[in-house]
Amino acid sequence: MALDHEIPLNSLGFAKPPSETRVVVAMSGGVDSSVVAAYLADQGYDVVGVTLQLYDHGAALAKKGACCAGIDIHDARRVAEERGFPHYVLDYENIFKDAVIDEFADSYLAGATPVPCIRCNERVKFKDLLETARDLEADCMATGHYIQRKMGPNGPELHCAEDSTRDQSYFLFSTTPEQLDYLRFPLGHLPSKDATREMAAQYGLAVADKPDSQDICFVPNGNYASVIEKLRPGAAEPGEIVHADGRVLGSHEGVIHYTIGQRRGLGIGGLSDPLYVVRLDVDKKQVVVGPKEMLATRTIPVREINWLGDVPFTSRPEWRLSVKVRSTRPPREAIVRPISETEAEVELLTPEEGVSPGQACVFYASEGSRIFGGGWIWRGY
């Protein structure tokens, strides 16, 4: 029976006043995290803003549309000054290079199509930054991600954002139960990005109309190949474009310029049927092309699985779930068969085209909004 003097939980889930609840807000300088910080400060929480300096690209410092560059640090600092809470900039360049950029380059060179934003969340933001938040004696850490944390019968659960067009669950599947216990996502329930911008305008934030970041932050103008050539000189070695039946159809300027499923820009015109990149053979420096049906994949090996279910992953021989194999595609029905706690074979009930090593395979409830984690596709053919 509830006692009269029991303290009700505040909006972040703690049984104490907001003024006694310290929350570290990860501030990228964009509108989303700025609104989170302003909103929590407005509610009376003990807010500490932290911005990560992840890289210095020279040209990227003045570039709009990428997070964590110089202009974004300035924007984050200004929000903190105007709203009256402390703000720190942490130099994570070495950590970021070791944990994210180097793997990005190496996996691209190995013929994979990596998703560095997931690795950044997993290895930098939700690992080192989260530890920093604990060092600052914060009760929790809040971010501007569009995803929801809901309390279930067995503890916090990860759920898709209310606005499906902004949902970032694909990029956050590797959030562990321990991290989820500590994290908060105040924007996940909002109906649209317009609602976030309206809040920014209400708080008088200068970033209210700031454009969303589009590219991977350390890849100016989306030009992956030029970044990889800088990181790995000699990476763009020429080779042959080969048909799956063995015919040599042309030449290319480096495997790193191609991705699985690519059709345009192959430079092998004049053929009666359209051809697609179906495989990248890095050792032979070959781009292998074939008809569209060769892209269809039904069975996907997945490893490094992070499981967010209520019972152990291996407690069942198979799980009926929906899975996403690209961030831009809707979830598809699948059967997930555990091999170990961190490995599985995923059978798609409907074959999917362009499944690529290096992408994530994220698990969703067949009905409802819950996310059950996911893993990495390590061989798409």
Side-chain angles (χ1 to χ4, degrees):
M1 199 169 90
L3 299 174
D4 291 340
H5 62 266
E6 274 191 7
I7 301 171
L9 298 182
N10 61 33
S11 63
L12 292 177
F14 298 99
K16 52 185 175 178
S19 60
E20 295 174 20
T21 306
R22 176 169 292 174
V23 51
V24 162
V25 179
M27 299 182 69
S28 67
V31 64
D32 298 325
S33 56
S34 297
V35 164
V36 167
Y39 165 71
L40 293 174
D42 190 57
Q43 285 203 318
Y45 286 99
D46 177 9
V47 172
V48 179
V50 175
T51 300
L52 304 182
Q53 180 164 330
L54 298 178
Y55 64 93
D56 178 357
H57 240 312
L61 285 178
K63 173 179 175 287
K64 290 184 177 177
C67 75
C68 310
I71 193 168
D72 298 309
I73 291 171
H74 168 76
D75 286 344
R77 184 179 288 134
R78 185 161 68 164
V79 169
E81 282 176 3
E82 289 173 355
R83 307 305 300 185
F85 58 82
H87 175 259
Y88 302 101
V89 178
L90 304 180
D91 183 352
Y92 274 36
E93 284 190 37
N94 290 339
I95 292 170
F96 188 66
K97 185 175 186 305
D98 293 344
V100 180
I101 296 181
D102 284 344
E103 183 193 65
F104 171 81
D106 291 340
S107 58
Y108 231 97
L109 290 179
T113 310
V115 193
C117 302
I118 300 177
R119 289 299 198 198
C120 181
N121 289 327
E122 175 188 319
R123 296 176 173 176
V124 181
K125 290 177 182 169
F126 291 176
K127 182 172 174 281
D128 294 286
L129 178 55
L130 202 131
E131 286 169 16
T132 299
R134 291 189 193 278
D135 291 342
L136 290 168
E137 298 181 343
D139 294 284
C140 62
M141 185 172 98
T143 78
H145 289 109
Y146 287 89
I147 197 163
Q148 296 189 81
R149 173 191 184 274
K150 296 183 178 182
M151 289 306 293
N154 296 291
E157 300 172 352
L158 204 58
H159 287 256
C160 295
E162 189 68 30
D163 178 5
S164 60
T165 64
R166 307 298 308 182
D167 177 64
Q168 290 176 290
S169 57
Y170 186 84
F171 301 99
L172 295 167
F173 80 86
S174 62
T175 306
T176 66
E178 295 76 24
Q179 292 167 344
L180 190 56
D181 197 47
Y182 194 68
L183 288 162
R184 300 294 187 274
F185 308 107
L187 302 183
H189 69 286
L190 294 180
S192 68
K193 180 68 177 242
D194 289 341
T196 307
R197 293 198 184 277
E198 283 170 20
M199 288 176 70
Q202 285 169 14
Y203 292 126
L205 303 181
V207 294
D209 297 319
K210 188 172 179 176
D212 292 340
S213 57
Q214 300 293 338
D215 302 326
I216 294 169
C217 67
F218 58 91
V219 183
N221 309 317
N223 189 343
Y224 302 97
S226 67
V227 171
I228 292 163
E229 283 181 69
K230 274 184 200 165
L231 293 165
R232 302 286 185 271
E237 293 182 13
E240 296 174 334
I241 297 176
V242 183
H243 194 283
D245 63 14
R247 288 178 290 150
V248 176
L249 301 178
S251 60
H252 64 78
E253 294 301 309
V255 169
I256 60 171
H257 295 285
Y258 299 85
T259 57
I260 304 288
Q262 181 178 336
R263 177 187 167 191
R264 301 184 186 282
L266 300 180
I268 49 171
L271 298 163
S272 55
D273 296 315
L275 295 175
Y276 299 78
V277 176
V278 297
R279 197 167 73 248
L280 299 171
D281 191 324
V282 178
D283 295 333
K284 294 181 180 176
K285 299 186 178 64
Q286 288 183 339
V287 173
V288 183
V289 297
K292 190 174 185 179
E293 53 266 25
M294 285 191 71
L295 286 171
T297 302
R298 186 181 282 279
T299 305
I300 308 171
V302 177
R303 61 185 176 185
E304 287 185 70
I305 287 169
N306 177 55
W307 177 245
L308 294 175
D310 298 326
V311 296
F313 184 50
T314 52
S315 63
R316 293 186 196 172
E318 58 183 48
W319 295 85
R320 287 267 177 164
L321 296 166
S322 293
V323 303
K324 252 191 194 190
V325 293
R326 286 274 168 120
S327 63
T328 52
R329 293 186 187 170
R332 299 284 177 91
E333 284 186 69
I335 300 169
V336 179
R337 297 187 176 92
I339 296 169
S340 70
E341 294 288 353
T342 58
E343 295 172 290
E345 185 178 88
V346 176
E347 181 189 342
L348 301 172
L349 300 192
T350 307
E352 184 88 43
E353 291 175 353
V355 174
S356 177
Q359 294 281 309
C361 178
V362 181
F363 307 155
Y364 297 84
S366 297
E367 292 182 5
S369 59
R370 189 168 176 189
I371 300 142
F372 282 94
W376 295 92
I377 301 167
W378 63 279
R379 192 183 68 242
Y381 46 84

